[in-house]
Amino acid sequence: MNVISCASLTKRFGSTVAVDGLDLEVAAGQVYGFLGPNGAGKTTTIRMLLGLITPTEGRIELLGRRLPDPRAVARTGSMIEEPAFYPWLTGRRNLEVAAATGGGRDPAEVGRVLGLAGLTDVAARKVNAYSQGMRQRLGIAAAMLGRPPLLILDEPTNGLDPSGIREIRGLLGDLTADGSTVFLSSHLLAEVEQVCDRVAVVVRGRLVDEGAPATLGAIRRRVKVGVDPADAGAARRLLSRWPVQEMNGEFLVEHDNGRDVNGVLAAGGVIAERVTVEQPRLEDRFLEITTREDAHAVIAES
Ligand SMILES: Nc1ncnc2c1ncn2[C@@H]1O[C@H](COP(=O)(O)OP(=O)(O)OP(=O)(O)O)[C@@H](O)[C@H]1O
Ligand SMILES: [Mg+2]
């Protein structure tokens, strides 16, 4: 069953298209990464998923219920941007307040989520003495109150140091082992690459890529070809059957098989001097997509 399903989801603010025709399907039990650079529309999408703002167009279903049915979001735990707390109350007290306003949940729940978030030792401290990482974890703890089957977290690793990020990764893994589904956004691929079962990449409100992190990287393998400068013109013609770029006198061919590329060159009478298959890290891929999409947008606007 899909826990989140959106079709043609669009949000415009005046002339700004923050989210542009987004289709998403998130299956139960996954950690799903929602990736994009700053301003890509991640928070806007999450606000729509949580019923905090109304889509301009499109349809959203959460846990089998169509928004704006309030029952759709009732079983969803969430954290958006900087979590807000009462600074003069302790971490524990803040969670107790959140648990009570969330419908008088079991007080033992507070102890459980504090433990899960690694905050038991600092639970008696006032939140205004918390580091950013502690606040972030307290936000995640609050989202986990009542064991919601779906957690939606906006940039949960924001402001955390590498060890904090590792802890959050471990925590998210534990949650899905428990049967929950986690949807989290990030603008830093490296932070979520290891923890996500699937990722969607958004740039300027549009979905530009989707899939398992490993496949995303693998599909986009490129073949790097070096030829004698005298053969460059012939090679350019022969390789034009694939998307190809030229960089520092080499051709970067968007294809995953070096033999095919070499075969086409040889059949056209060009002997390649070097043929290597590149396996870009997802992070590089992300950067590349981002820059390319931005470039397209700039061209389209001018
Ligand atoms: N209430 C609003 N009114 C007008 N424009 C808005 C509003 N909220 C968001 N936007 C615009 O929509 C676009 C997407 O913003 P959004 O905050 O969703 O991006 P984001 O992916 O969450 O970015 P970040 O990584 O910086 O958090 C931006 O251009 C932003 O300026
Ligand atoms: Mg945001």
Side-chain angles (χ1 to χ4, degrees):
M1 187 196 81
N2 284 332
V3 165
I4 300 177
S5 166
C6 354
S8 310
L9 190 61
T10 300
K11 182 69 183 181
R12 285 189 283 271
F13 297 104
S15 61
T16 306
V17 188
V19 178
D20 193 359
L22 202 62
D23 298 322
L24 278 181
E25 300 290 339
V26 179
Q30 289 186 331
V31 178
Y32 195 99
F34 191 50
L35 297 168
N38 293 129
K42 303 180 297 293
T43 301
T44 304
T45 301
I46 287 180
R47 285 190 196 286
M48 289 193 280
L49 291 179
L50 295 170
L52 299 172
I53 54 173
T54 315
T56 311
E57 279 164 35
R59 182 183 62 76
I60 300 173
E61 258 180 39
L62 288 191
L63 299 161
R65 291 185 195 276
R66 172 105 183 247
L67 261 69
D69 183 341
R71 288 173 300 177
V73 285
R75 297 195 303 141
T76 303
S78 64
M79 178 176 78
I80 293 205
E81 291 185 330
E82 301 278 285
F85 294 107
Y86 300 107
W88 62 91
L89 296 182
T90 65
R92 180 183 296 277
R93 192 72 196 117
N94 265 286
L95 290 182
E96 284 166 358
V97 170
T101 52
R105 287 157 176 153
D106 177 5
E109 217 1 50
V110 169
R112 185 186 74 92
V113 296
L114 280 169
L116 275 173
L119 290 172
T120 308
D121 292 348
V122 294
R125 263 197 239 167
K126 285 185 180 155
V127 165
N128 61 12
Y130 272 23
S131 67
Q132 195 186 352
M134 289 180 199
R135 275 168 216 252
Q136 207 71 8
R137 282 193 263 165
L138 191 61
I140 299 173
M144 293 189 299
L145 282 167
R147 296 178 190 265
L150 172 61
L151 270 185
I152 298 184
L153 307 172
D154 192 16
E155 309 250 8
T157 50
N158 222 6
L160 299 184
D161 57 19
S163 76
I165 292 168
R166 257 196 312 279
E167 281 172 31
I168 298 294
R169 277 195 204 123
L171 175 58
L172 298 178
D174 294 348
L175 287 172
T176 49
D178 229 19
S180 300
T181 307
V182 180
F183 182 86
L184 67 119
S185 74
S186 181
H187 63 281
L188 294 172
L189 184 59
E191 290 188 354
V192 295
E193 192 170 8
Q194 289 130 327
V195 78
C196 292
D197 301 301
R198 279 187 94 79
V199 295
V201 181
V202 281
V203 176
R204 293 187 173 237
R206 278 181 297 139
L207 189 70
V208 297
D209 226 332
E210 208 270 347
T215 24
L216 273 191
I219 304 168
R220 312 292 170 175
R221 278 195 299 196
R222 293 190 305 192
V223 179
K224 205 188 223 178
V225 181
V227 296
D228 189 280
D231 290 330
R236 190 173 299 128
R237 262 192 320 279
L238 292 165
L239 297 174
S240 66
R241 63 169 65 196
W242 294 292
V244 64
Q245 288 175 55
E246 288 182 51
M247 211 178 278
N248 308 323
E250 291 194 307
F251 294 91
L252 286 172
V253 184
E254 294 229 8
H255 189 67
D256 62 359
N257 188 322
R259 281 177 64 92
D260 291 355
V261 173
N262 210 352
V264 163
L265 287 174
V270 174
I271 308 295
E273 294 190 329
R274 294 174 302 281
V275 177
T276 44
V277 179
E278 265 195 338
Q279 190 107 39
R281 292 185 335 125
L282 193 50
E283 193 167 0
D284 303 332
R285 181 65 197 135
F286 181 47
L287 250 179
E288 196 190 311
I289 295 168
T290 307
T291 358
R292 195 183 57 223
E293 289 295 315
D294 276 345
H296 280 177
V298 170
I299 292 161
E301 278 163 11
S302 60

